[in-house]
Each structure stands twice: as structure tokens, then as C-alpha cells.
């Protein structure tokens, strides 16, 4: 079949390009300057550790991961964020830390990142709408940031907020959700070794549509937990309410762990459509795995909890 071949070629090409670039990065041939063209906001994404431990599946073509996005600040359409983010300038970015820590304050992101080791982590990502991708993220462990910020022992949750700036985010002129976008994790989830603060993907800085310059990546949870363009972090004693709970608490819970046995009220979560590359009609349906396949790393955090109630 003609289309099928085209699909395959496209996939192979994208992956070959990705792996070649990785080889260059490993050999140090692409420096920070080349990777940060067009932006005054620069850091060296070539200086990171590789972590092969989590590489499991075929990587999604970069083009799909950067043109099929959920980012309501730009638009509720999946293709529009890529175009609308072209003018987004995540420069001179600061992160405000508040709540239960002595180290509250406004941190310059560029300086903050330098405190931590950047790693590449290839993770399966599962969206609540039943599509999934495999993405090579670049980031540092949220655990490292939390240790650096030294929260009090009374801090049981970490809360995040996205930038509110309707001039840069046209979607914020509409009330699709109550702005700003917000998310939270329980402290043990935040400290889990899988939880990343991503600053890049596919060996480069994060594109605007994927949450530049700083986003959360929690691979055993549904995609909506991965809050983008973070400007606020707060340590709290009470469980925060996230954006999707605010809109439809009966459909979206705080935990949002990937669970093939707990259906969304309007559709099944038992299978997913894996987007690998190219024309989506050819993407096969695969069985969704409990905790998105990361049970060995995370299941113990939920022992004794009823996951149908704590969905
Ligand atoms: N973060 C913000 N600020 N705004 C959003 O609309 N969408 C979420 C999450 N983070 C969203 C967000 C949802 S529903 C998903 S599935 C993921 O981002 C999509 O991430 P991706 O576009 O990098 O695949």
C-alpha cells in the first residue's frame, strides 16, 4: 500500500535525523550557541547525562510531538499552538516560590537550572483523550529542585501555576478554563525519581507549544498533569485543586494515574492510539498499561488506596 510505505519512510527519516543529532550532541559538535539560536535566553542543553534506563519504545517523530499539542493558553485546537507559539518569547523567565519553605522568593530560571544536572529521559506519555507518544525529554529531577528549596516538613503537596499573560497567550482572552492553568502533586510523587522538570526535548530547548521554558513531566499520569510554562511553585499542607478538577471534578481527579480499568465517564481508557510518526490513520491501538507501564517505580506510593475513588 502506497500510504503505508510513505508513513514508514517518514518515520524512519525522522528517527534517523533524531539519532544523528544525538550523536552530534554526544560528540559535543553542537554547542550551546547553535542550539539556542534566535533567543537571548540560553543554556547548554548539550551538557546533560543520558539516562537509557527508561527507553522502551519507538520514539514519536519530532514533528508530531511539536504539532499535535494541548495548550489552551494558545488555543483549544491541537494544531494551532505550534503556529501561535512562534511569537511566544519565554525570556528573562522567573519562577516565584512561595508557601511552606524558608527559601521563598523569585528565582531567575537560567541561574536556577545551572544548579541541577540535565538528563535525557525517554518517556511514554499518555493523554486522557487516549492518544500516546514516546518523547525524549531533557530536564532535571523535580526532587533535586525540591531538595534545593528545602520545604518545611509540613509541606505535603507541591502546587504549580502557568504564566498568565493574555498578550502572549491569545487563548487566555477566552474563558475556556479559569486562568491561570494550575496543577499539583503529592510530595512523594513530586520526589519520585521519574518526575522531571523539562527544559528541552529531542536534544533542543522546549518549543513554546510544548511548554517552554519549563514544564512538568509525570509519565505515569495522564498528560494534563504536565503543566506547561511554569511561573509559580508553592509548597502546601493541603491538597491543591487542579484546573481540570475546577472544570469537571467528576471527570478529572487529583491523581490522574494512567489506569486502563478506570474509564473516563464518557469513554474507555483501556486502549490508546500510539502516535509514532506520519499519517495518524495508520497508528495502531495498543493496550494501555497500569501506571503507563511505570508501576515498578510508582505503584508502592498508592498501596492501600482505592484508585477508582482516587482517580
Ligand atoms: N499546561 C498548560 N498550561 N495549559 C494546557 O492547556 N494541557 C495539558 C498539559 N499541560 C495544558 C498544559 C494537557 S491536557 C496535555 S495532554 C499536555 O499538556 C500536552 O503536552 P504536549 O503538547 O507537550 O504533548
Amino acid at each position: 500500500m502506497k500510504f503505508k510505505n510513505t508513513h514508514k519512510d517518514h518515520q524512519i527519516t525522522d528517527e534517523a535525523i533524531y539519532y544523528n543529532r544525538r550523536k552530534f550532541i554526544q560528540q559535543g559538535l553542537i554547542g550551546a550557541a547553535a542550539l539556542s539560536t534566535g533567543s537571548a535566553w540560553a543554556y547548554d542543553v548539550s551538557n546533560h547525562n543520558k539516562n537509557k534506563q527508561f527507553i522502551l519504545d519507538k520514539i514519536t517523530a519530532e514533528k508530531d510531538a511539536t504539532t499535535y499539542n494541548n495548550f489552551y493558553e494558545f488555543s483549544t485546537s491541537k494544531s494551532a499552538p505550534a503556529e501561535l507559539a512562534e511569537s511566544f518569547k519565554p525570556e528573562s523567565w522567573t519562577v516565584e516560590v512561595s508557601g511552606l519553605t524558608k527559601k521563598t522568593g523569585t528565582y531567575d530560571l537560567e541561574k536556577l537550572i545551572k544548579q541541577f544536572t540535565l538528563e535525557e529521559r525517554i518517556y511514554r506519555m499518555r493523554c486522557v483523550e487516549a492518544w500516546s507518544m514516546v518523547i525524549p525529554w531533557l530536564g532535571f529531577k523535580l526532587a533535586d529542585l525540591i531538595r534545593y528549596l528545602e520545604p518545611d516538613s509540613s509541606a505535603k503537596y507541591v502546587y504549580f501555576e502557568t504564566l498568565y499573560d493574555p498578550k502572549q497567550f491569545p487563548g487566555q482572552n477566552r474563558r475556556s478554563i479559569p486562568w491561570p492553568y494550575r496543577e499539583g502533586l503529592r510530595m512523594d510523587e513530586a520526589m519520585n525519581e521519574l518526575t522531571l522538570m523539562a527544559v528541552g526535548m529531542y536534544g533542543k530547548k522546549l518549543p513554546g507549544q510544548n511548554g517552554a521554558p519549563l514544564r512538568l513531566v509525570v509519565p505515569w499520569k495522564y498528560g494534563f498533569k504536565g503543566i506547561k510554562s511554569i511561573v509559580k511553585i508553592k509548597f502546601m499542607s493541603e491538597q491543591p485543586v487542579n484546573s481540570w478538577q475546577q472544570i469537571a471534578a467528576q471527570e478529572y481527579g487529583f491523581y490522574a494515574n494512567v489506569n486502563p480499568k478506570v474509564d473516563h465517564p464518557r469513554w474507555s481508557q483501556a486502549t490508546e492510539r500510539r502516535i509514532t510518526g506520519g499519517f495518524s490513520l495508520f497508528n495502531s491501538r495498543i493496550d494501555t498499561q497500569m501506571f503507563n507501564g511505570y508501576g515498578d517505580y510508582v505503584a508502592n506510593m498508592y498501596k492501600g488506596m482505592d484508585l477508582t475513588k482516587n482517580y
Side-chain angles (χ1 to χ4, degrees):
M1 260 172 59
K2 195 168 177 283
F3 277 118
K4 208 163 191 176
N5 286 338
T6 313
H7 168 225
K8 265 199 194 141
D9 289 344
H10 170 63
Q11 202 168 300
I12 290 160
T13 310
D14 278 358
E15 273 170 39
I17 291 168
Y18 171 65
Y19 279 108
N20 276 334
R21 190 170 49 233
R22 251 160 65 102
K23 229 166 85 197
F24 279 124
I25 293 166
Q26 275 157 9
Q27 291 163 356
L29 296 176
I30 298 180
L35 288 163
S36 62
T37 11
S39 165
W41 190 76
Y43 59 88
D44 187 358
V45 289
S46 65
N47 176 27
H48 59 78
N49 290 342
K50 299 279 178 308
N51 193 329
K52 296 232 163 55
Q53 188 183 356
F54 304 109
I55 302 178
L56 298 158
D57 305 327
K58 204 172 183 51
I59 289 165
T60 296
E62 183 178 353
K63 192 161 192 304
D64 289 325
T66 56
T67 56
Y68 192 74
N69 302 102
N70 271 337
F71 202 167
Y72 281 20
E73 281 81 346
F74 287 117
S75 165
T76 51
S77 121
K78 300 221 189 304
S79 56
E83 283 168 37
L84 294 167
E86 275 172 23
S87 57
F88 179 61
K89 294 270 176 287
E91 285 165 10
S92 316
W93 199 268
T94 56
V95 178
E96 187 197 295
V97 175
S98 66
L100 301 167
T101 167
K102 280 180 241 19
K103 289 174 101 175
T104 57
T106 302
Y107 291 82
D108 177 82
L109 179 62
E110 218 175 310
K111 286 192 197 128
L112 194 63
I113 290 173
K114 294 202 178 104
Q115 310 299 318
F116 312 113
T117 310
L118 288 188
E119 294 177 37
E120 179 170 74
R121 296 273 187 96
I122 300 181
Y123 280 156
R124 291 194 201 111
M125 307 300 296
R126 169 65 157 79
C127 189
V128 80
E129 294 150 307
W131 43 276
S132 65
M133 297 190 186
V134 179
I135 296 185
W137 298 106
L138 282 172
F140 53 91
K141 289 194 205 78
L142 175 57
D144 290 345
L145 174 63
I146 291 174
R147 274 190 282 269
Y148 178 81
L149 294 174
E150 297 177 61
D152 303 343
S153 58
S154 55
K156 305 290 182 224
Y157 296 89
V158 193
Y159 167 82
F160 305 89
E161 258 180 41
T162 294
L163 176 70
Y164 178 73
D165 181 1
K167 286 203 191 79
Q168 293 209 77
F169 286 141
Q172 286 179 334
N173 294 305
R174 287 181 290 273
R175 277 188 224 135
S176 45
I177 62 169
W179 308 110
Y181 196 94
R182 58 202 72 183
E183 252 312 331
L185 292 174
R186 209 171 62 188
M187 192 56 88
D188 57 340
E189 300 178 318
M191 293 296 290
N192 188 278
E193 65 168 311
L194 295 189
T195 308
L196 272 199
M197 293 299 268
V199 296
M201 64 196 292
Y202 295 86
K204 295 178 282 189
K205 292 199 313 188
L206 274 183
Q209 63 271 31
N210 292 89
L214 180 71
R215 70 169 289 170
L216 183 66
V217 174
V218 204
W220 71 96
K221 293 180 181 285
Y222 290 113
F224 70 84
K225 297 292 286 185
I227 181 170
K228 296 173 168 178
S229 307
I230 295 167
V231 289
K232 285 186 186 171
I233 296 176
K234 187 177 183 184
F235 293 105
M236 300 172 66
S237 57
E238 304 293 322
Q239 184 174 300
V241 175
N242 68 39
S243 291
W244 291 96
Q245 282 176 291
Q246 284 186 305
I247 306 163
Q250 70 287 1
E251 299 189 15
Y252 303 101
F254 175 79
Y255 284 96
N257 291 319
V258 174
N259 189 339
K261 293 196 206 99
V262 176
D263 290 339
H264 183 281
R266 289 182 280 134
W267 59 79
S268 161
Q269 291 291 20
T271 63
E272 64 200 63
R273 188 164 52 87
R274 173 63 54 81
I275 299 173
T276 48
F279 199 56
S280 59
L281 271 184
F282 296 109
N283 295 137
S284 52
R285 283 220 162 249
I286 54 173
D287 287 341
T288 290
Q289 295 180 61
M290 187 65 204
F291 298 117
N292 207 19
Y294 295 105
D296 287 351
Y297 301 94
V298 302
N300 60 341
M301 293 192 288
Y302 309 103
K303 267 203 194 114
M305 277 176 73
D306 181 347
L307 296 179
T308 56
K309 287 208 182 84
N310 297 287
Y311 54 87

